[in-house]
Amino acid sequence: MTPLLQVEGLSKFYGQRIGCADVSFDLYPGEVMGIVGESGSGKSTLLNCLAGHLPPDTGRVMFNTRADGMRDTVTMSEPERRMLGRTDWAFVHQHARDGLRMNVSAGGNVGERLMAVGARHYGDIRGQAIDWLGRVEIAEDRIDDRPRQFSGGMQQRLQIARNLVTGPRLVFMDEPTGGLDVSVQARLLDLLRGLVREMGLSAIIVTHDLAVVRLLADRLMVMKDGHVVETGLTDQVLDDPQHAYSQLLVSSVLQV
Amino acid sequence: MTDYNFAYLDEQTKRMIRRAILKGLAIPGYQVPFASREMPMPYGWGTGGVQVSAAVMTAGDVFKVIDQGADDTTNAVSIRRFFERTAGVETTEATGDATVIQTRHRIPEEPLTDDQILVYQVPIPEPLRFLEPSEVETRKMHALEEYGLMHVKLYEDISAHGAIATSYAYPVEVEGRYVMDPSPIPKFDNPKLSMAAIQLFGAGREQRIYALPPYTRVVSLDFDDYPFEASKAEHACALCGATDSYLDELIVDDAGTRMFMCSDTDYCRSRRAAGHVGAQGTPFKEDAA
């Protein structure tokens, strides 16, 4: 089986400081990988490099495109990369307001990616928007409301609908449950788990919440100071952490 | 008159503007940056259009200015006088006689010919401005032809109003490439954008010039199931009886009585001179106009 995403020796420096250094991994279709670590450990830098939001300094990010097989997304032209960004890739931001257009209705937000890839039939676009709002448990009669009239959890679900409407194969998530209260988090996780399984999505989830990766991720990567200190199956890393920092991380979780 | 260089601007500035115009004509719909000058009128009064007019004007030109179709409003009169004083060119109100027409938000009803230039005053040249506030991002979107967002605006119109409610500054696609703001002309005028005359767009405050060469293919954006419609008030002109012209709506008394009349004053006057009389019109007298 060919991997969907192949990362080789990826590094990003901010001047003298390390953003992330020498990161390599493979991600296979249908696999969900979690990246955990404390604030400033380079998780978000890594994710932004992978998603093409930041140019990495060294390394390759090979993506298995539908048309031409494995392509290096770092060296491909910007139009191609941005095209991937609105078709095969999706990016779920921590703050919904970064990923949504707050002055455009929910339906318009969901429809934007469709229109960006050439949909020009209002009825079809609206039909798909209604379908996706239903899938993320937003009532159909909210379709013409603006996101600012939505609760935080609904905004996050709307952001997910907006991203998944074009049927991407790889989803990048940056703290998707950050800032939500626990019961809303639980429902969002449930929803994400369902969608990932149902659509066969691959996903890379950056979080500092170990419970989130326990539920969602198949594999786990632990980062510290820009370096990957431990990788492995999620349960293995969480139940039997090898690196001192992973042990600290796991033991720092509050037990209720 | 001798106190000014011909048409107010100095020759170096005119050359700079002409270069921008030529570039704009070579890339229809592309917004060319130019070093807009301080003009003796406030921004929003047509400083962009005036600079473009000054750059294309020659001593033999006949100049006409319209403001929302009218030749006799403050803006039109003051710009016409400005060029009478600084360029000494002949001015006219007759569309057919003019060689350079500066317009604020209308295209004359009478079809223009290939020896005429139409200069638009543009307040906001960027059609994506209110959807994407970052100019860096919108320029990238133009460069990469990412225009999905423009349809999001039309989608929002339909979802809120049941139809595309944008009635002026209706976005168009030029020669299958750039999406352009045709300046706030009513969408009734959009089909006329493919015409024989050269069309130049000047935005003074925003420092942009763009252009449409003659017979450029200009398509108004729409949805398959909500096609573009060039709309106007469903009335005939009360003065000249025209049913094919864009109409202004006037409220004429405290009871809210409405009157519709041509927004293009020259068109209305010439129709009345030819003997057409509308429901509230009186027979045309030459000096009464």
Side-chain angles (χ1 to χ4, degrees):
Chain A
M1 192 149 114
T2 46
L4 186 67
L5 190 76
Q6 220 170 0
V7 181
E8 294 164 16
L10 191 82
S11 301
K12 172 76 186 173
F13 297 93
Y14 298 107
Q16 293 294 309
R17 291 176 216 290
I18 298 174
C20 61
D22 200 26
V23 178
S24 304
F25 67 89
D26 290 349
L27 185 76
Y28 287 87
E31 197 176 27
V32 177
M33 192 167 81
I35 303 176
V36 293
E38 61 193 5
S39 300
S41 60
K43 327 182 282 283
S44 293
T45 298
L46 175 61
L47 194 73
N48 282 317
C49 286
L50 297 177
H53 296 171
L54 278 177
D57 292 319
T58 59
R60 300 202 297 171
V61 180
M62 308 293 288
F63 180 73
N64 191 0
T65 57
R66 286 180 214 233
D68 317 302
M70 293 306 266
R71 295 279 310 276
D72 186 356
T73 63
V74 177
T75 55
M76 74 167 45
S77 69
E78 190 173 9
E80 289 178 289
R81 191 162 50 236
R82 284 172 69 116
M83 190 65 187
L84 273 183
R86 50 179 199 269
T87 52
D88 267 351
W89 293 352
F91 198 103
V92 178
H93 293 264
Q94 174 176 8
H95 300 293
R97 61 184 63 244
D98 295 336
L100 291 173
R101 293 196 186 274
M102 298 305 280
N103 51 4
V104 167
S105 70
N109 265 295
V110 178
E112 181 180 343
R113 273 170 80 111
L114 293 170
M115 292 182 249
V117 295
R120 291 292 179 264
H121 190 283
Y122 176 81
D124 292 351
I125 293 166
R126 199 164 170 88
Q128 289 214 48
I130 290 171
D131 176 43
W132 268 98
L133 290 181
R135 289 207 221 180
V136 297
E137 298 164 15
I138 296 175
E140 191 182 324
D141 61 2
R142 302 298 303 269
I143 185 168
D144 292 329
D145 290 346
R146 309 234 157 150
R148 63 177 89 254
Q149 290 159 283
F150 286 4
S151 68
M154 279 172 82
Q155 288 182 0
Q156 202 56 287
R157 294 204 298 275
L158 179 62
Q159 195 194 176
I160 289 164
R162 169 186 158 90
N163 272 288
L164 297 189
V165 66
T166 47
R169 292 186 296 157
L170 176 58
V171 186
F172 301 101
M173 293 189 228
D174 191 1
E175 309 267 11
T177 57
L180 301 176
D181 58 58
V182 283
S183 59
V184 176
Q185 256 189 41
R187 276 178 50 211
L188 186 74
L189 285 173
D190 221 29
L191 175 77
L192 276 176
R193 205 143 70 137
L195 288 172
V196 164
R197 295 282 176 273
E198 187 185 311
M199 299 175 70
L201 295 174
S202 302
I204 297 177
I205 299 175
V206 160
T207 182
H208 53 240
D209 188 339
L210 294 183
V212 169
V213 286
R214 170 84 84 175
L215 274 171
L216 279 177
D218 305 311
R219 276 200 301 147
L220 201 57
M221 212 158 82
V222 183
M223 289 187 75
K224 167 88 174 125
D225 298 334
H227 296 272
V228 175
V229 293
E230 186 165 353
T231 58
L233 298 174
T234 303
D235 291 341
Q236 180 193 329
V237 174
L238 292 183
D239 293 340
D240 182 18
Q242 300 296 308
H243 190 273
Y245 174 70
S246 312
Q247 291 168 358
L248 178 73
L249 196 68
V250 171
S251 62
S252 302
V253 175
L254 287 175
Q255 302 296 327
V256 182
Chain B
M1 154 84 217
T2 47
D3 296 339
Y4 295 106
N5 187 38
F6 177 75
Y8 188 78
L9 292 174
D10 61 279
E11 292 305 311
Q12 284 301 319
T13 299
K14 286 197 222 166
R15 284 179 65 178
M16 174 269 293
I17 294 173
R18 285 174 196 146
R19 278 195 208 105
I21 291 172
L22 288 174
K23 183 170 181 180
L25 284 166
I27 319 171
Y30 171 71
Q31 299 167 44
V32 185
F34 80 110
S36 178
R37 295 291 190 253
E38 195 85 12
M39 296 304 282
M41 61 189 72
Y43 289 132
W45 283 64
T47 53
V50 165
Q51 289 178 78
V52 170
S53 293
V56 299
M57 193 174 287
T58 60
D61 271 320
V62 182
F63 190 58
K64 170 184 161 84
V65 189
I66 51 175
D67 172 9
Q68 305 274 17
D71 288 278
D72 52 4
T73 61
T74 315
N75 195 214
V77 170
S78 63
I79 292 173
R80 196 161 58 226
R81 288 222 191 112
F82 174 75
F83 281 112
E84 278 171 8
R85 256 182 83 186
T86 60
V89 291
E90 195 185 325
T91 57
T92 181
E93 294 196 2
T95 304
D97 297 343
T99 55
V100 177
I101 303 174
Q102 181 170 334
T103 175
R104 175 171 172 265
H105 314 347
R106 266 318 304 277
I107 297 176
E109 304 291 353
E110 186 181 326
L112 301 184
T113 57
D114 57 12
D115 52 1
Q116 292 179 305
I117 298 176
L118 186 60
V119 178
Y120 295 78
Q121 302 172 197
V122 181
I124 293 166
E126 179 51 73
L128 301 161
R129 173 68 49 87
F130 294 107
L131 302 157
E132 174 55 60
S134 159
E135 184 83 1
V136 172
E137 184 63 19
T138 54
R139 279 198 226 180
K140 196 170 272 184
M141 290 160 81
H142 281 294
L144 302 178
E145 233 181 312
E146 289 180 2
Y147 290 128
L149 202 51
M150 210 68 248
H151 273 87
V152 173
K153 179 179 171 350
L154 301 180
Y155 170 95
E156 290 288 288
D157 259 15
I158 301 174
S159 67
H161 307 289
I164 298 178
T166 303
S167 56
Y168 63 94
Y170 192 102
V172 293
E173 185 191 76
V174 179
E175 281 291 332
R177 179 59 181 83
Y178 283 98
V179 165
M180 185 188 96
D181 183 339
S183 86
I185 59 171
K187 65 178 171 182
F188 173 81
D189 282 342
N190 270 22
K192 293 191 241 166
L193 286 163
S194 297
M195 65 159 81
I198 293 175
Q199 296 170 82
L200 305 174
F201 298 78
R205 178 179 44 207
E206 302 267 339
Q207 314 203 326
R208 294 287 182 279
I209 284 173
Y210 51 104
L212 293 175
Y215 305 111
T216 304
R217 189 158 44 86
V218 180
V219 179
S220 303
L221 300 179
D222 59 3
F223 284 104
D224 296 342
D225 45 348
Y226 285 85
F228 170 78
E229 232 176 302
S231 60
K232 67 182 271 286
E234 289 299 325
H235 291 271
C237 172
L239 299 180
C240 76
T243 52
D244 58 349
S245 67
Y246 190 73
L247 301 175
D248 283 342
E249 181 180 1
L250 297 180
I251 294 177
V252 292
D253 60 23
D254 288 346
T257 309
R258 280 139 206 268
M259 175 182 174
F260 292 88
M261 53 187 281
C262 293
S263 100
D264 186 337
T265 50
D266 174 59
Y267 182 73
C268 198
R269 191 186 51 79
S270 56
R271 270 180 58 88
R272 284 161 61 219
H276 297 276
V277 180
Q280 297 173 52
T282 50
F284 184 75
K285 289 194 290 288
E286 186 55 48
D287 52 338

